[in-house]
Amino acid sequence: MVDGFYLELLGVCSAGEMSPKTARNILTLLGSMLNEAWRQDWIGRVPHIEKPRIDEQTFAWITNEQVEQLLAAARADLLHPQLAVVLAVAAYTGLRAGEVLGLQWPDIAFDRRLITAQRSYGKPYTKTGAVKRVPMMAVLEPILRQWRGLASGSRWLFPTRTGEVRSRDDRHLQEYFQSAVAASGLGPE
């Protein structure tokens, strides 16, 4: 049964309908479920599950000048003022998107120039479960101070229009980001 499922996943990957990474994640979850079933004595043995090899991904790093180009394009988008600040926080801290959108004002210690990421998309923990303390770069401090003066009064740095935390499914910021990338001229080559 597992062999048939595995072969079906490989077929889906070969057809380009699913990435090998997604298939690997599914098989890892299946392995965890089978291990738990064995621990609970629901099955007699755990079958070996071969996972597809994932090639290392290469990342394209952007330069400081490109960061400034992107932020300038985002600042020019007057309809979405949060975008430039979200991108600045992401670029100058290295936090994940969920960690940036999970920031609350008490996480910003201007006096110590420190940002503490301890939640993601409103969950009470980050993706890895670790609390991250990131130094606030000098270039970011005035951006955050100005944003604090403009912010809506929500405890979240980047709330929705109703003052709540943004969810993982909130596609608005992704769409605005893609627009800023296109406007900056930094899109795919």
Side-chain angles (χ1 to χ4, degrees):
M1 186 163 99
V2 172
D3 290 338
F5 180 69
Y6 176 75
L7 291 173
E8 187 175 332
L9 269 180
L10 286 182
V12 170
C13 288
S14 297
E17 297 172 24
M18 179 186 300
S19 76
K21 173 79 170 106
T22 300
R24 185 177 181 86
N25 290 346
I26 290 169
L27 292 169
T28 298
L29 176 61
L30 176 61
S32 296
M33 292 166 55
L34 290 169
N35 280 323
E36 182 60 26
W38 177 78
R39 277 191 292 279
Q40 297 290 333
D41 236 359
W42 295 339
I43 60 175
R45 69 174 187 84
V46 177
H48 174 72
I49 298 176
E50 189 74 30
K51 297 178 191 168
R53 187 172 169 272
I54 307 296
D55 293 330
E56 255 186 60
Q57 293 179 335
T58 56
F59 294 96
W61 301 97
I62 63 174
T63 65
N64 289 338
E65 292 78 23
Q66 290 171 321
V67 168
E68 287 306 317
Q69 271 182 266
L70 183 59
L71 293 178
R75 283 190 292 270
D77 183 348
L78 301 178
L79 294 176
H80 310 106
Q82 286 187 356
L83 181 62
V85 185
V86 168
L87 293 178
V89 171
Y92 296 129
T93 63
L95 295 174
R96 290 182 167 101
E99 294 165 345
V100 170
L101 297 177
L103 288 171
Q104 295 181 1
W105 285 109
D107 299 327
I108 310 299
F110 288 108
D111 57 332
R112 296 183 300 154
R113 294 188 58 192
L114 190 69
I115 298 172
T116 303
Q118 52 192 331
R119 68 192 71 73
S120 178
Y121 294 113
K123 293 179 187 170
Y125 49 86
T126 61
K127 181 176 180 177
T128 63
V131 173
K132 296 180 183 177
R133 289 176 180 80
V134 182
M136 186 186 311
M137 293 179 66
V139 68
L140 185 56
E141 184 176 357
I143 295 169
L144 285 174
R145 285 190 183 278
Q146 181 183 22
W147 183 246
R148 173 93 189 200
L150 298 172
S152 66
S154 171
R155 70 179 190 263
W156 303 102
L157 261 68
F158 308 110
T160 62
R161 290 182 186 181
T162 61
E164 297 303 313
V165 66
R166 291 187 177 276
S167 74
R168 173 183 292 276
D169 300 326
D170 185 349
R171 298 289 178 214
H172 294 98
L173 281 177
Q174 288 182 0
E175 292 168 11
Y176 307 153
F177 171 72
Q178 293 302 326
S179 296
V181 167
S184 71
L186 296 175
E189 299 180 12

